[in-house]
Amino acid sequence: MNSISKNIRFLWVIALAFSFTFSSCQSESEVVDEIEDIIAEDSNNGDSEGDSGDESEQEKLDEDTSEITECTTEGTNSNRETDIVGAVNVGKIDDRSCYANYKESFYAGKTWGVYNITDGSNHQDKANTLQPRIERSLSRSQTTGVGSFARFTGTVRILEAADTPRESDNGTYIMQAKGKHTGGGGSADPAICLYIARPVFGTDENGNRVQVSFDIYREQINFRGGSGANGRQFVYLTNIKKNEPTSIVLEVGFREDSNDASKKIHYADAVIGGETFRFNIPEPEKGTQSGIRYGAYRVKGGRAQIRWADTTYRKVEVE
């Protein structure tokens, strides 16, 4: 409500109160109730408009709408462990992007970790080898007994994910299950499954093509050390709307095989927006660790902007 409308309503309230002394048509309580209703309505409208304005400004500040570049002076950190003091997100940072360093923003009543990366911005590793990332690693469960697990919880908001002309190169990882194994094969520090956000496009109010939501897939191994088309496969899980806070749980661990008590299952179970997605990791007898990383990882075109809040971590180790 604008200031002119508020002034008019205020004068009307005074007039209503004044007229009470000359009229017996309304009781005093009725007039007081009506005046209180009007004041409450104005107060609520004011709060609503104020919140809307603040929210709009916060959203504007929270999303990077500047020109996409490979690197910036501000974002060029000298080592991978560059972080801020007292970071609200749990875990040790691994910053391999010279576009933007980790920072934090306040949005929708809470503090968020800001993870922005762009194509070609990995200035820490040899050129054209590893993808850019700003991730946080969590200490791993080093035991494989039934009941051992590593559990991460958080709230994610996705504002932008990698976009390229080639569909298979689209998307940015928001978290991953890690864990070494016996018997060799694959990376020295393999990813067991990775959760990737791929952009879904629509149009804004001006008819521009924009990212409006994100399809979430699990990229899971087919066998220990699996990589590439033969070693991994993508499984569609769910869709998340742009900028929508979504609860996340990822637990990686060992449990008893319900079909054979002498065996165990190495699992990676995710809960995304309240929906559970279970994955039994192949060759559980080879697994030696359960680990988790999260943040923003991989951008083969454009830019990725991931936000994390409410992060917690717990692990239990059983021999």
Side-chain angles (χ1 to χ4, degrees), residues 80-128:
R80 288 167 47 177
E81 297 179 4
T82 300
D83 204 353
I84 66 174
V85 177
V88 69
N89 286 171
V90 298
K92 182 179 179 180
I93 204 162
D94 179 4
D95 182 346
R96 284 183 259 181
S97 173
C98 55
Y99 173 69
N101 289 333
Y102 171 83
K103 61 182 179 180
E104 295 176 350
S105 67
F106 188 80
Y107 179 85
K110 63 184 65 176
T111 301
W112 300 78
V114 174
Y115 300 81
N116 291 348
I117 57 178
T118 64
D119 180 30
S121 64
N122 185 345
H123 64 307
Q124 298 286 344
D125 296 306
K126 185 178 179 181
N128 302 316

Side-chain angles (χ1 to χ4, degrees), residues 259-277:
N259 296 318
D260 187 343
S262 67
K263 297 180 180 180
K264 56 190 174 184
I265 291 172
H266 196 189
Y267 66 91
D269 293 346
V271 183
I272 303 174
E275 190 173 0
T276 301
F277 305 96

Side-chain angles (χ1 to χ4, degrees), residues 13-314:
V13 170
I14 294 176
L16 180 65
F18 184 77
S19 68
F20 170 74
T21 60
F22 299 98
S23 172
S24 60
C25 295
Q26 284 181 292
S27 69
E28 179 178 2
S29 62
E30 288 175 332
V31 174
V32 170
D33 287 345
E34 188 169 349
I35 292 172
E36 288 179 346
D37 288 344
I38 294 169
I39 292 173
E41 181 182 346
D42 284 347
S43 175
N44 289 336
N45 287 339
D47 289 344
S48 176
E49 290 178 2
D51 289 346
S52 176
D54 291 345
E55 192 85 334
S56 176
E57 182 64 17
Q58 286 177 344
E59 184 173 350
K60 177 182 177 183
L61 294 174
D62 195 47
E63 182 174 4
D64 186 353
T65 57
S66 64
E67 181 180 357
I68 299 177
T69 61
E70 182 177 308
C71 288
T72 66
T73 301
E74 179 185 3
T76 304
N77 51 306
S78 59
N79 64 75
R80 288 167 47 177
E81 297 179 4
T82 300
D83 204 353
I84 66 174
V85 177
V88 69
N89 286 171
V90 298
K92 182 179 179 180
I93 204 162
D94 179 4
D95 182 346
R96 284 183 259 181
S97 173
C98 55
Y99 173 69
N101 289 333
Y102 171 83
K103 61 182 179 180
E104 295 176 350
S105 67
F106 188 80
Y107 179 85
K110 63 184 65 176
T111 301
W112 300 78
V114 174
Y115 300 81
N116 291 348
I117 57 178
T118 64
D119 180 30
S121 64
N122 185 345
H123 64 307
Q124 298 286 344
D125 296 306
K126 185 178 179 181
N128 302 316
T129 56
L130 300 177
Q131 280 289 304
R133 73 206 65 192
I134 303 177
E135 288 185 297
R136 290 188 179 274
S137 60
L138 303 166
S139 62
R140 299 185 185 182
S141 172
Q142 303 283 357
T143 60
T144 63
V146 170
S148 298
F149 68 83
R151 180 189 300 139
F152 166 73
T153 69
T155 304
V156 70
R157 281 190 299 121
I158 307 174
L159 299 176
E160 190 175 11
D163 177 37
T164 75
R166 185 180 176 184
E167 185 176 355
S168 62
D169 285 337
N170 285 350
T172 298
Y173 300 116
I174 61 173
M175 61 184 181
Q176 56 177 310
K178 302 279 286 185
K180 297 180 180 180
H181 57 263
T182 61
S187 167
D189 187 20
I192 295 169
C193 61
L194 308 96
Y195 298 81
I196 189 170
R198 287 179 168 166
V200 176
F201 288 85
T203 55
D204 63 14
E205 62 275 11
N206 298 317
N208 298 315
R209 180 176 180 268
V210 295
Q211 298 184 16
V212 296
S213 69
F214 304 89
D215 285 339
I216 308 300
Y217 290 81
R218 181 179 61 226
E219 182 181 342
Q220 63 191 45
I221 59 172
N222 295 328
F223 51 84
R224 291 285 175 170
S227 62
N230 294 326
R232 294 183 183 180
Q233 62 178 309
F234 288 93
V235 177
Y236 173 79
L237 303 180
T238 188
N239 178 270
I240 295 176
K241 289 182 173 60
K242 176 178 177 176
N243 200 38
E244 181 176 282
T246 303
S247 61
I248 293 283
V249 179
L250 178 58
E251 180 172 309
V252 187
F254 291 86
R255 59 176 166 238
E256 184 179 289
D257 187 335
S258 59
N259 296 318
D260 187 343
S262 67
K263 297 180 180 180
K264 56 190 174 184
I265 291 172
H266 196 189
Y267 66 91
D269 293 346
V271 183
I272 303 174
E275 190 173 0
T276 301
F277 305 96
R278 300 186 185 279
F279 173 52
N280 289 345
I281 302 163
E283 303 171 279
E285 68 283 355
K286 290 185 177 181
T288 63
Q289 291 181 331
S290 297
I292 296 171
R293 290 169 67 95
Y294 73 98
Y297 163 42
R298 197 183 91 147
V299 53
K300 294 188 176 182
R303 173 171 51 200
Q305 300 188 63
I306 314 296
R307 309 287 182 264
W308 284 98
D310 308 321
T311 58
T312 71
Y313 179 65
R314 181 187 175 209

